[in-house]
Each structure stands twice: as structure tokens, then as C-alpha cells.
Amino acid sequence: MHVTQNAAELCSLLVDEFHGELPSRIYSTLLMRGKSSIQQLCQYTLMTPRQLRHGLAVLHQFNLLFNQVEDNGMTLYEANPDHTYNLVRAGRILEMVETSFGPAGKDVMQSLFTSGQTRISDLVTAYQGKSGRANGLSKQFDDEDDEDNKANGMNGAPSQSKKLEGPVKSTAELNSILCRLVEAELIDVVHRRTFISPEGILKAVDKEVTDKFFPNGVKGGKGKIEHKQHIGEALRSIRGESKSLKRKLEQNGPAAKRRKLFANGISSNGFSNGVHDDEVDPALDAKQVVRINYEKCLVDLRNRRLVQFVTELIGDITAYVYGVLLHLLTKRIPRCRLDATMDLDQDGQETDQQGPVFVTTAELLDQLKTSIDLSQGLGKTSAQDIATKAAEKISEHPPKPKLWIEETEVDGEASEDESDDDNESDTGYDADYKPAVNGTRVKFADGVAPKEQRLDRTGQLRQHLLLLSNSAQGFVRHCGHDEWTVDFAPLMKVLREAELDSTIERTSGRDGMRLVRILRDKGKLDEKALHSIALMRKPDVQKKMTEMLKAGFVHVQEVPRDNKADVKKSIFLWFCDTDMSFKKITDNCYRAMVRCIQTLEVLRQNEQEVLMLTRRTDVKGREKDVMREEYYERYARFQDNERKLFAQVMRLDDLVALLRDF
Amino acid sequence: MADDEAAKVDATDKVDANDEADKGDKVKLLKDMLYEAVCQHGSDSRLFTQKDLVDLGVVPANDPILLLSLIQGLTDDKLLVASTGPTGICWRWRNREEAKKYTSLPNDETAMVYSVIDEAGADGIWNRTIKNRLNMHEAVVKNCIKYLETKGYIASMKNVEHPNKKMYIKANLAPSERATGGPWFTDGELDTAFIEELKRLVFEYIKTKSAYLGSQGGHRGDAASNVRAPKRGIIKGSGDSNGTRGNKRAATDMSMDEGANGKEASPVVAPRQRGGKVFLPLPAGYKKYPTVAEIARFINIEGITNNTTLSVPDVQQLVDVLYYDGLIEPVRVGARRGYRVTRPTRQSTVSFQPGMGLEVDMLGPEPRGNGLTEVPCGRCPVFELCGEGGPVSPSNCVYFVKWLDLEDAVEGAAKPTLIAAP
């Protein structure tokens, strides 16, 4: 994360919002001053070492810090802005976990959010404690888990929910939820090097590798490549350490997992959120410390975002199909963006040990909900209105031997090669093409009608997938016969640009967007060319361009005609630097988030007296009954605004996530 | 040489008056014959070489001296114009009316100015270019132009490429397409209303041809609600704000629309809520997405461009603008390059008729919003200035107060009140 002034301000505010003022002050000092020891922090913040240690402990607990022990035994602390920023996403991630793993999963995840990185045994105890508090209210459940037989049945009532029955009902269920989350890589293990900054790790690994393999120094081009490979390998193994728990689970019970999938049926995201067969889940090592793995969470959030885009651009049903496809596809994708030293070889190709990633139509079909009617959502015809049917044609991609090729166009010639495998009517493109059309309805070409009606579910599914693969954005690539994959890098680029376009359209109007898109398409243009392509009046173009220049969406370059560089004779070329615009928008987002949180703070100040009241123990929890109507109204309104502002911060984060992280 | 010859002819003329009349008649006759023959053999832009003129067979015995005198005569009458062709000197003819104009001009300067303008043809010529080419004083050129203008021989014109230059053109010529800017310009001004109307028409055409107008079945409703249940949470923010925006628009536009076209007005506002028709994407590989040629044909058949015929490149330009507006996207199926509408399910299902006017405020669906454009900061004019402790800060932000609907609350909070515990 590139920390700008606004980003730093935002991070400090977030720490303040979630963990209070003391950690926030230390955190902002660390951001401002860089790596510091406790002594230095004492100087900078004018706090006592005792206070500092308290604050640092909190920050450490939530993985907001890196530390590094120097040779002389002194510990240096450093802010971890990436993780701090992720605090904004807490709500989003919880919501996502809830849809995939049910309310119980959400509850566990929430506990991890509120308590930071936690030892599993502590988590279990916490849940027992909660149930202990609620014991008086309800009867106990017998726990079938023989491993932990002193555990009480969890009958719910986590403090934040007022329901009698909490989402997590037993320690066994807690265990199984944790297993699911670990398998999905949404949580991973904290290990020794979690707290060392990436630069620190790289430095250490570099030293190790050089000492071990190149005691005489790295020499020559070949040596350099080898050196790089060794480093990449070592870094990968360090990164793999946090997945130790998952590996253990996979060793124990892939078969059990599969059995379960058959037994319980699959919810929309492929995970059963009902009750599990508890005995098949191995008990997790109670000493392990777990934390939330934001990298994988981001992958899932990206999937959701893509589904949203498809809903917007194509339609609901297709988006649903796409969501299932993405879910299957990203099971094996641990992070959104590949790391240059770890995941790419010197040609920029991915060093993927797992082989090509794709999903077949059959796999996909197995995961679709039976309630979904795949014949809907496409411009197809239902049986009764044959007259308005549209003639259709499937054009297929040739099987691609290699992945990660940017290929979004529908290639006519290639599809003809394959025309006979499942689409007999595919006899060249213009063979049965009739330009005659009736009004706005396209006449139905004979012979295709009965065939289309008889399309089975696989055929319907294929229709949706083909639509996705033929989209201008290239949502899906048909990479082999009935094999589908997604090229995330080019796709996300397209979507980032789409997001930029809609931002421009909203702020500078459609004319502005038109001009920017022209510039992106054609490169640098002078004004005359610009207004003739855009079919806009010259003064309008000038006005709009100046406006957008101010907003940072377009830039201008002066090219002198001769050595004298006479301004009157110079050519002025407009261009748009998309990456620069992304950075600008991202920074504006940080800033807008900061303003939202500050506004919230202002509201708190204004309503201080009311809020003080709600903090009283005799008022807390039953505000409506105890408070005077007038004050309760003010309190309710404040809460409403608080919700609104946080929701807005989250919406801003959507944009940041897309532009920066996906 | 021609002058010598002419002088010689003159000299002989003086010698014998009788002969002279006879010969004069003969020359005049031959002159007319030659002129007629030249007119017969090509348009006024064709260049005739000496050989071409000889081959016409008008001049008896192909006498070059006689031919020369004939050409000289015609040139003096401004009926032939000499110019340099690829093989040396050539001539082209000029019609009699034009020639008369030349001969009626009072002096040589005016004739020269007129000839320069004449040569420029339909592109017109800038008055400074005239001055430079003739190397005359500005005042002289000005006088000549004034004279020619009052006579109605030339007219000033506007060139869209150089709107600030004063250009002249022969009065009986229409400015060329390059000068007028093609079909998109009217009187040297970009005709935005025309373009806008045409864009709507083309967009409507592409929309109806490239998406399927279907109804949302009952089944689908069930399935959709099942599927979309989790997602609704995410897009709630945008949904809500879109909703409010939509309503706002409805409030202002409803009355206007209802006056204009009655029942059709409301579906514009909420095409989806009506639950009826919705545009659906066509299956992959659909091969009748309209191409530019088809669109051009449609426009010409429709005949809304009264006196101008739009060529395929013109229509391509228009379609490109729609593409840059993000309303349509190119799609290639085989060798066919068609266009289809983007975001079909979000399109309004009310069809646009030419002449409906610009009441329907915007083409296509509402642009998508995002977090930044919704928060007041995203459109704040003083965003850069804003900061704690500055003249504008979150604590005195009027936009946030308005956005959160807090106007009265702020006033309320300003009053000092004592709160007793209840």
C-alpha cells in the first residue's frame, strides 16, 4: 500500500475508531516517523513506556504492527498500513462469511475480529464463557464431542446478539466451523515471521540464500537468475507456513470432506451451512494461534464484485452462473495479485505448480441450485411466443493450449472448425443470413426453433457461459471443450476502467466520459481531432477538457514545432493517463473516508450529552424505555447517521478495493 | 509569339478593310465553332492540349497559326482559360455567362481577384491568401472584393476548419463538404440538436435489434429472489440512492412526460418495477447485430435527414460516438462487425420515435454510481481546501449536513440545553 497523507490519516482514524485513542496516537507517530524503538516513541509521543507498551500490545494483537529485533536486542516497531486499512472491510468480510458459512461462521469470524489473533483454546474458552453467562436462561446441551467432554453445550447468547439461541451451538460446531474457514483459507496460522515486515523477510532470506548457495557472491546472469529462484522458493515456503493448519486438515480428511458434500447438499456457495457430522472434523491443535487471512478474503470479495458487474451488464441468472464458476475457480487462487518475486518467473509468466486452473461445464452443473431456471435471463424464447424468437448461433472458442492469453474476441473461422460437435446448424455465418427483418422483431430462422426449445440444462448453462465468454469485457474464457477459465488480470483492468468511466460520467457528465474514452482509445490527440471525433462543439470541448484537467482525469502535453518553442505555434496534445487517474481517485477515496469519519466525530461531539446518557449502565441496553422521548429521538437519529456514514465508508472501500487490490 | 501573331493579323486587317470584314467574320465563325466543339467534348474542368484542339477538326487544314489566333481570341473573350497541365500549356473552357462577368469587370485588378476566387472553387479562399498571391495592396484587394460582392459575383463564407478566417467563394457555388464540415454542420455551426436526435434514433435502432424484448416470467421471479438475496446486501447502498434519484427525476419529469406522451411516461422511470417487459441479452454468436451499413440504410429509408444523405463513414462516426458514450459495444461474429447495446437489462423499454423531442432526458440507463460520486466529497467544489482547522472542514461542512438531512438538528444542538437524567 502506498501511504499518502490521506491514507495515513485514514489509518490513524481507523485505529482510533476500533481500538481507542492511545493506540491511535502511537500508530500515527509510527506512520509519521517510521521504524522506532520504545525509547524513540517515548520522545515523540511524550508518553511513559508503560503506556506505550499497553498501546503496542493492542496494536500487536490485531497485527497492525511489524517488529524487528535488532542485533543489539533492541526492538523496532513499524506500522502495517495494509492490515490497518483492512479494518474498513470488517463488515464486508463478515457479510461475505455469513452468506457462505451461515450465521455461525459469521459469529466466529466476528470473534476473531474483536479479539485479534487468538489461540484456538482461548477462542473455545471464550465461547464457553459466553454460554456460562447465559446458563441461567436455558437448559444445557449434552456434548457428543468425546475429545472435549468437559465443554458445555453452547446455547448461544453471544453478548452482541439478544437471541436466546446463539449461532454457535457447541464446541464441536465451533471446531468444525474453524475447520471450514481454515480449508477456505479465510483464516490462517500466525507463525514466527508474521510480525516481520515483508522487507525484513526479504532481507533475511536474501542473506540466508547468499550464505548457503553463493558463499562467493552472486556472479553472472545465470547466477543472478538462480539467486532469484532460490529467494522466490524460500519466500514461498515462508508464506506457506501460515497454511500449515490447512495442510494438516487436508491430510486428515479429504475423503471425509467429500462424503460430507454428498451427505449435506450444497448451498449456493458450495458450503453446507447446516449441521455437520461433527465426528469427521479432526480437532484443531488448541495451541495454534489463528488470524484472519485478508488476502483470501479479498479474492472472495473480488468474486462478489465481479458477480455484481455481470448482474449490471448482462443479467441476474448469468451473474448467478458466473458466481458459481468463480467460486469453483478461486478455490485454488490464494490471492488477487501475484507477487513479482514469488509467483512470476523472469518472463513474467506465472510459476504455477498446480497446473492450469479451469472449471468444466459438468463441474459447474453439479454446483448449480436446482431452483434456478437457466432458460431465463437470456434473449431466448419460451414455448408460447415462437413468433418473436431470435435467430441464434453459438460460436465457440478453439481450445487454447495455454492459459493467460488475452483473448476476448469471438473468432469466426476458429468456431467453424468446431461447428460439428454440438451445434449442427452452424453452417457458416452468412449462409442462412437474411437481412429481411420485420419491424423491430427479428424473424425466426426456420429449423433452429425446435432445437433451441429442446435445449437441456447443460445446453442452457452453456448458453450463459458462452454469453459471458463473448462479452466485450471477457468475463470468461472458453479455454477448451467445455472448460472455462477467467483471466483475472486483463478482466480487472477492463473493470477498473469501467469504474473510472462511471466516476467521470458522474462528475463530468457523459461528454467528459466520451472525451476520455476517445483519448484512451486513440492515444494522444490535439483539440481539433478531438472535437471532430466527439462531434462536439469546440468551445464545449475546451470547457470540458479544462474541467477534467483540473480534476486530474486528463493531461496536456506541449510539443513545440521548432527550436524556438513558440507557444503560439506549439501543438498541444491531450492524453489521459489511466493509472494516474486511478491513483488520484484512490487518494480521493481515502480522503473522503477520512471526512466521513471526521463528520461522524463531529456528530458525536454535537450529541455528546445524549451519548453520555446512553453510556450509563442503567440506561444501556434499554434506551428506548428509559430515555425521554426527545433524547431518544436524537439518539436514534445519531445511530442512523452513524450507520449511514459507515455504510458510505464501505462503499468508498469498494472503489478502493477495485482500483488497488483486485 | 501569340502577340506577334495578333499584331500581324491586326496589321493585315488594317491593310484591307473589305478583306478585314470578311476575315473577321470567318474568324468569329471559327471561334464560335471551336468553342462549341470544346464544350461538346468535356466538362469545364477538362484540360485540352493543343493536340486535342487540333484533333477537333474545326480549324481548316490544321493551320496552327489560325488555331493560335482563334485561341487568342477566345482567351481575350474569357471563354478559354489557359493553365499548365502535365504536358505543357492547356486550356479549359468557361461558359458564356461567366465570361460575361469577367468582361464586365471595370479593371484588371478586379478581374484578377475574381479569377483567384474562381480558381479556388468550392473550397473558397481566404482574403489574405488573395492578397499574398496577387501581391496587391490590401486596400486594392478590399475594394475589388467590395465591388464583386455588391455585384453579387462572390459571397463570403465560413469554413468550419478555420472559423475565424474570412473566406470568399463564387456566389453561384455551394461550399464544399470540407468547408462546411459535412452533414453535421449547419451554417458553419455544429448542429448538436440534429446529432442528438439522430443519435437517439440510431441508439434505439441498435437497442431493439441487438437485445431481446422479453417478459420476466413467474419462475424467474422465484429464482431471482433466491439468488439475489445475499447480493442485495452489497448493492443496497447504490440501490437506495439510485432509487431516491430515480424518484426525484420522476417528480420533475412526470408532469412533463405525461403531457407529452401520456401512458408511456411512467415506464421510463421504472421499467423494472413494472415487472413487464425487459430487454434481455441475446445468446452468444447471434449474427444479426446491426452493422454500420445496415444502420445507414435504415437512416436513409427512414428519411429523417431531409435533404442530406448520410454516407457510411458519417454513420460510422455517429456510431463511434455512441460507443464512446458507453451505450453500445462492437461485437464481432465471424466476419461480421455488428454493434449491440450495453447493459440490456437496464435499458428503458419505451421506444423512441423521431420527433418525440428531447424530453427523455438521457440516452440509456442512469450511469452507475460508486462510493466516491455519492458521498458529498466526491463532488465537493472545495474538496482540496477542506481540512481540520481550515476555513472549510468536516465540522462546518454544509454538504454533509444536507446529505445527512441534519439541518434542524444542527440548530437544535446549537442551543445550550441542560439535560437531567430521566
Side-chain angles (χ1 to χ4, degrees):
Chain A
M1 179 172 169
H2 177 67
V3 185
T4 59
Q5 187 204 335
N6 293 320
E9 206 176 332
L10 175 65
C11 286
S12 313
L13 276 172
L14 283 173
V15 174
D16 185 36
E17 195 65 40
F18 281 78
H19 306 299
E21 199 187 337
L22 175 70
S24 165
R25 273 178 63 185
I26 298 171
Y27 188 83
S28 59
T29 313
L30 280 174
L31 267 182
M32 208 153 58
R33 306 273 182 167
K35 265 184 210 172
S36 319
S37 65
I38 291 214
Q39 284 77 15
Q40 283 168 314
L41 281 174
C42 274
Q43 259 184 333
Y44 300 146
T45 58
L46 302 177
M47 282 192 249
T48 60
R50 196 182 143 76
Q51 287 171 319
L52 279 174
R53 276 179 221 280
H54 275 299
L56 288 173
V58 171
L59 291 172
H60 250 311
Q61 176 69 23
F62 292 92
N63 208 350
L64 305 178
L65 285 187
F66 293 123
N67 64 29
Q68 191 183 343
V69 183
E70 292 287 283
D71 296 335
N72 56 8
M74 193 152 62
T75 311
L76 295 181
Y77 298 93
E78 195 185 349
N80 179 355
D82 283 310
H83 269 222
T84 316
Y85 179 78
N86 281 329
L87 289 174
V88 170
R89 297 189 176 133
R92 220 14 60 102
I93 291 171
L94 285 178
E95 195 207 340
M96 176 196 81
V97 171
E98 190 175 11
T99 51
S100 321
F101 298 88
K106 180 190 168 193
D107 192 58
V108 173
M109 205 67 167
Q110 195 161 9
S111 310
L112 280 174
F113 263 115
T114 45
S115 50
Q117 41 219 3
T118 319
R119 192 170 291 151
I120 290 180
S121 59
D122 291 345
L123 203 61
V124 172
T125 322
Y127 271 91
Q128 282 165 358
K130 275 182 201 168
S131 79
R133 257 181 274 134
N135 254 351
L137 291 169
S138 57
K139 63 185 160 71
Q140 300 207 344
F141 285 87
D142 279 332
D143 195 346
E144 283 124 348
D145 196 350
D146 47 4
E147 184 262 335
D148 194 0
N149 50 13
K150 67 175 179 223
N152 296 331
M154 312 293 282
N155 70 344
S159 56
Q160 65 270 31
S161 105
K162 284 186 189 137
K163 278 183 261 163
L164 272 178
E165 298 261 311
V168 182
K169 300 210 167 47
S170 66
T171 42
E173 194 184 342
L174 174 64
N175 189 50
S176 107
I177 289 165
L178 284 174
C179 286
R180 294 289 84 69
L181 290 172
V182 168
E183 271 168 10
E185 290 183 37
L186 292 181
I187 57 180
D188 61 7
V189 181
V190 173
H191 57 93
R192 195 165 50 87
R193 306 206 223 204
T194 309
F195 299 102
I196 304 178
S197 65
E199 296 82 36
I201 291 179
L202 184 65
K203 220 166 117 189
V205 165
D206 195 343
K207 192 163 176 289
E208 247 171 61
V209 167
T210 315
D211 287 350
K212 196 172 162 192
F213 298 100
F214 305 93
N216 304 325
V218 185
K219 280 179 199 131
K222 207 180 159 196
K224 263 183 197 159
I225 292 173
E226 244 171 69
H227 183 244
K228 214 182 144 196
Q229 279 170 349
H230 280 300
I231 287 182
E233 219 165 274
L235 285 175
R236 269 200 296 277
S237 78
I238 290 174
R239 195 169 63 177
E241 272 178 44
S242 60
K243 305 285 176 289
S244 59
L245 210 51
K246 190 195 175 194
R247 274 199 298 278
K248 220 189 252 170
L249 277 178
E250 274 170 354
Q251 277 166 13
N252 278 0
K257 194 178 150 202
R258 215 168 295 137
R259 181 152 56 88
K260 207 172 354 206
L261 284 176
F262 277 113
N264 286 350
I266 297 122
S267 75
S268 66
N269 285 298
F271 286 92
S272 56
N273 53 10
V275 182
H276 294 286
D277 299 334
D278 293 329
E279 68 268 27
V280 287
D281 282 320
L284 293 169
D285 183 0
K287 280 187 202 125
Q288 293 278 17
V289 181
V290 291
R291 63 164 184 165
I292 293 162
N293 179 14
Y294 288 107
E295 279 185 337
K296 181 69 181 184
C297 290
L298 271 177
V299 173
D300 284 10
L301 288 177
R302 178 173 70 177
N303 289 352
R304 293 171 68 112
R305 189 63 195 262
L306 281 169
V307 170
Q308 242 176 293
F309 268 115
V310 175
T311 314
E312 176 73 26
L313 294 172
I314 300 176
D316 299 335
I317 305 283
T318 314
Y320 168 72
V321 170
Y322 194 49
V324 177
L325 170 73
L326 283 175
H327 176 75
L328 288 174
L329 201 64
T330 51
K331 266 185 186 166
R332 283 189 287 173
I333 296 178
R335 59 190 57 76
C336 291
R337 290 199 174 174
L338 297 169
D339 189 287
T341 46
M342 286 187 259
D343 299 310
L344 301 174
D345 59 23
Q346 58 266 30
D347 305 328
Q349 293 293 319
E350 193 192 7
T351 54
D352 191 355
Q353 303 88 353
Q354 296 171 331
V357 181
F358 61 81
V359 175
T360 65
T361 316
E363 278 174 335
L364 206 53
L365 194 65
D366 288 347
Q367 299 281 337
L368 290 182
K369 263 193 203 168
T370 47
S371 61
I372 302 291
D373 183 359
L374 288 177
S375 65
Q376 300 286 336
L378 263 184
K380 249 188 298 186
T381 49
S382 50
Q384 64 266 30
D385 54 350
I386 296 166
T388 56
K389 275 187 181 176
E392 49 189 297
K393 189 71 71 183
I394 301 165
S395 59
E396 272 188 60
H397 283 279
K400 300 271 190 307
K402 213 168 150 195
L403 282 173
W404 296 103
I405 296 173
E406 276 188 64
E407 177 62 60
T408 52
E409 289 266 337
V410 187
D411 209 332
E413 288 75 36
S415 71
E416 275 177 357
D417 299 341
E418 264 195 48
S419 58
D420 47 352
D421 30 52
D422 60 349
N423 191 16
E424 304 87 286
S425 68
D426 193 357
T427 52
Y429 282 94
D430 294 312
D432 58 342
Y433 168 67
K434 290 178 208 140
V437 281
N438 255 355
T440 59
R441 298 277 155 77
V442 181
K443 271 271 186 191
F444 195 75
D446 301 1
V448 190
K451 182 179 159 57
E452 290 307 337
Q453 275 171 40
R454 273 190 276 105
L455 269 184
D456 55 353
R457 199 168 163 81
T458 318
Q460 292 165 350
L461 174 60
R462 286 179 56 84
Q463 288 285 314
H464 286 284
L465 290 169
L466 285 170
L467 187 64
L468 284 167
S469 71
N470 289 358
S471 58
Q473 291 79 10
F475 283 113
V476 165
R477 185 156 59 77
H478 193 185
C479 63
H481 184 59
D482 274 348
E483 287 167 2
W484 312 89
T485 188
V486 180
D487 303 329
F488 284 106
L491 173 60
M492 295 323 289
K493 185 167 172 276
V494 171
L495 296 185
R496 272 195 284 279
E497 280 171 2
E499 197 63 52
L500 176 63
D501 285 346
S502 61
T503 309
I504 294 174
E505 188 170 4
R506 273 291 160 102
T507 49
S508 309
R510 188 166 276 171
D511 294 344
M513 182 183 74
R514 185 192 302 170
L515 293 168
V516 169
R517 280 173 61 112
I518 289 171
L519 288 176
R520 199 182 298 147
D521 197 36
K522 310 255 178 199
K524 295 182 178 176
L525 288 179
D526 79 335
E527 211 159 72
K528 225 181 248 177
L530 199 56
H531 70 80
S532 70
I533 293 175
L535 286 183
M536 283 167 71
R537 285 174 50 227
K538 205 171 172 182
D540 292 348
V541 172
Q542 275 166 347
K543 198 176 146 219
K544 197 47 82 181
M545 291 312 271
T546 336
E547 193 185 311
M548 288 195 293
L549 182 68
K550 261 177 158 177
F553 295 133
V554 294
H555 310 277
V556 73
Q557 181 188 10
E558 184 183 344
V559 184
R561 263 186 228 264
D562 49 23
N563 287 338
K564 278 181 242 160
D566 186 0
V567 179
K568 273 185 188 165
K569 280 186 184 164
S570 297
I571 307 167
F572 287 89
L573 295 176
W574 290 101
F575 66 100
C576 72
D577 185 334
T578 313
D579 287 334
M580 224 194 287
S581 306
F582 289 156
K583 279 196 189 116
K584 173 95 181 162
I585 291 185
T586 314
D587 200 44
N588 281 354
C589 281
Y590 294 145
R591 193 159 176 169
M593 284 163 152
V594 168
R595 298 288 173 262
C596 281
I597 297 175
Q598 282 171 340
T599 307
L600 181 63
E601 199 50 49
V602 172
L603 288 182
R604 282 201 188 118
Q605 291 287 332
N606 290 347
E607 303 290 332
Q608 204 177 10
E609 41 200 17
V610 178
L611 292 178
M612 292 267 274
L613 202 61
T614 57
R615 247 173 257 144
R616 278 170 40 168
T617 44
D618 58 335
V619 179
K620 207 169 189 173
R622 43 197 191 111
E623 287 89 352
K624 193 163 187 187
D625 308 332
V626 180
M627 283 166 80
R628 227 187 286 160
E629 196 182 330
E630 174 192 349
Y631 294 121
Y632 181 72
E633 255 173 39
R634 278 170 67 182
Y635 177 62
R637 183 150 62 181
F638 169 76
Q639 278 192 315
D640 199 32
N641 287 330
E642 190 180 31
R643 266 198 297 277
K644 268 192 213 163
L645 284 167
F646 272 124
Q648 199 55 43
V649 170
M650 259 154 75
R651 306 241 325 124
L652 283 163
D653 168 58
D654 279 350
L655 192 57
V656 174
L658 177 66
L659 296 182
R660 200 190 68 185
D661 298 325
F662 286 165
Chain B
M1 191 184 87
D3 283 357
D4 285 352
E5 207 54 50
K8 212 171 157 190
V9 173
D10 280 356
T12 46
D13 282 356
K14 273 177 196 168
V15 174
D16 195 344
N18 199 19
D19 214 27
E20 175 202 303
D22 213 31
K23 208 171 180 180
D25 279 350
K26 201 180 150 199
V27 168
K28 195 167 181 308
L29 204 71
L30 280 173
K31 248 168 66 181
D32 285 348
M33 275 171 70
L34 182 65
Y35 182 71
E36 291 302 322
V38 168
C39 290
Q40 292 288 319
H41 276 82
S43 70
D44 58 358
S45 59
R46 174 170 177 182
L47 295 174
F48 292 90
T49 58
Q50 184 181 339
K51 188 164 181 301
D52 292 335
L53 294 176
V54 169
D55 291 348
L56 288 172
V58 176
V59 186
N62 291 342
D63 180 5
I65 296 169
L66 182 58
L67 178 65
L68 200 65
S69 69
L70 293 180
I71 290 171
Q72 184 62 50
L74 284 168
T75 316
D76 287 346
D77 294 345
K78 309 285 181 193
L79 286 169
L80 277 190
V81 189
S83 54
T84 358
T87 54
I89 191 160
C90 305
W91 293 268
R92 57 188 172 84
W93 60 271
R94 178 186 280 148
N95 66 28
R96 286 185 192 276
E97 266 173 60
E98 269 304 304
K100 212 168 156 194
K101 280 183 190 169
Y102 271 96
T103 45
S104 70
L105 293 175
N107 50 28
D108 283 353
E109 283 88 1
T110 322
M112 280 157 81
V113 169
Y114 186 63
S115 74
V116 168
I117 294 172
D118 190 8
E119 274 164 33
D123 281 346
I125 191 164
W126 186 22
N127 59 358
R128 198 176 294 174
T129 319
I130 302 174
K131 199 192 87 186
N132 291 343
R133 192 169 295 170
L134 298 176
N135 218 358
M136 283 184 187
H137 195 268
E138 196 166 344
V140 180
V141 177
K142 226 176 188 171
N143 271 333
C144 296
I145 285 174
K146 205 171 170 192
Y147 176 82
L148 288 167
E149 244 184 325
T150 48
K151 273 281 188 184
Y153 289 171
I154 61 168
S156 71
M157 61 168 274
K158 248 190 182 166
N159 188 326
V160 286
E161 284 172 22
H162 314 283
N164 298 325
K165 291 183 179 174
K166 199 143 175 83
M167 313 275 283
Y168 290 96
I169 189 172
K170 262 168 69 180
N172 53 0
L173 283 181
S176 70
E177 194 146 286
R178 216 179 89 205
T180 55
W184 310 125
F185 287 81
T186 308
D187 306 330
E189 282 279 311
L190 192 69
D191 193 346
T192 43
F194 173 65
I195 292 170
E196 198 57 28
E197 181 96 4
L198 211 55
K199 257 169 70 185
R200 277 166 200 278
L201 195 79
V202 170
F203 177 65
E204 189 64 31
Y205 178 77
I206 294 177
K207 186 168 86 181
T208 48
K209 293 281 174 195
S210 68
Y212 173 78
L213 188 63
S215 55
Q216 297 179 320
H219 266 301
R220 193 187 165 285
D222 282 356
S225 62
N226 278 346
V227 183
R228 283 167 29 105
K231 272 190 317 231
R232 212 159 263 164
I234 323 173
I235 35 179
K236 201 171 178 183
S238 77
D240 281 352
S241 55
N242 273 336
T244 49
R245 236 189 327 271
N247 289 341
K248 268 183 205 155
R249 207 155 58 85
T252 52
D253 285 5
M254 260 312 213
S255 51
M256 217 164 68
D257 279 352
E258 260 163 3
N261 45 333
K263 286 178 231 160
E264 288 184 345
S266 19
V268 178
V269 181
R272 285 170 71 80
Q273 279 91 320
R274 281 294 160 113
K277 299 278 183 181
V278 68
F279 277 106
L280 292 172
L282 286 162
Y286 179 68
K287 60 192 176 77
K288 284 184 186 173
Y289 290 122
T291 60
V292 173
E294 279 171 30
I295 297 166
R297 206 180 311 142
F298 161 74
I299 293 174
N300 291 334
I301 290 170
E302 197 79 357
I304 50 150
T305 55
N306 295 330
N307 32 24
T308 39
T309 307
L310 292 180
S311 64
V312 171
D314 293 331
V315 178
Q316 179 73 57
Q317 212 178 349
L318 197 71
V319 168
D320 280 347
V321 168
L322 282 173
Y323 162 64
Y324 290 126
D325 277 349
L327 295 167
I328 58 173
E329 60 189 13
V331 51
R332 222 186 90 199
V333 178
R336 188 182 164 84
R337 292 182 169 278
Y339 286 87
R340 70 178 166 205
V341 67
T342 55
R343 301 162 73 196
T345 50
R346 297 282 189 275
Q347 300 292 345
S348 145
T349 48
V350 177
S351 58
F352 167 79
Q353 303 297 330
M356 204 158 124
L358 304 178
E359 279 126 42
V360 189
D361 46 5
M362 216 176 186
L363 270 185
E366 282 267 316
R368 283 182 303 124
N370 58 33
L372 189 60
T373 56
E374 282 158 14
V375 74
C377 298
R379 279 175 290 182
C380 177
V382 287
F383 186 57
E384 300 292 330
L385 291 175
C386 181
E388 279 300 357
V392 188
S393 71
S395 52
N396 63 10
C397 179
V398 287
Y399 300 108
F400 260 111
V401 168
K402 213 168 159 188
W403 192 58
L404 293 170
D405 212 7
L406 284 174
E407 270 136 342
D408 50 334
V410 171
E411 280 161 28
K415 289 176 208 154
T417 42
L418 268 176
I419 298 183

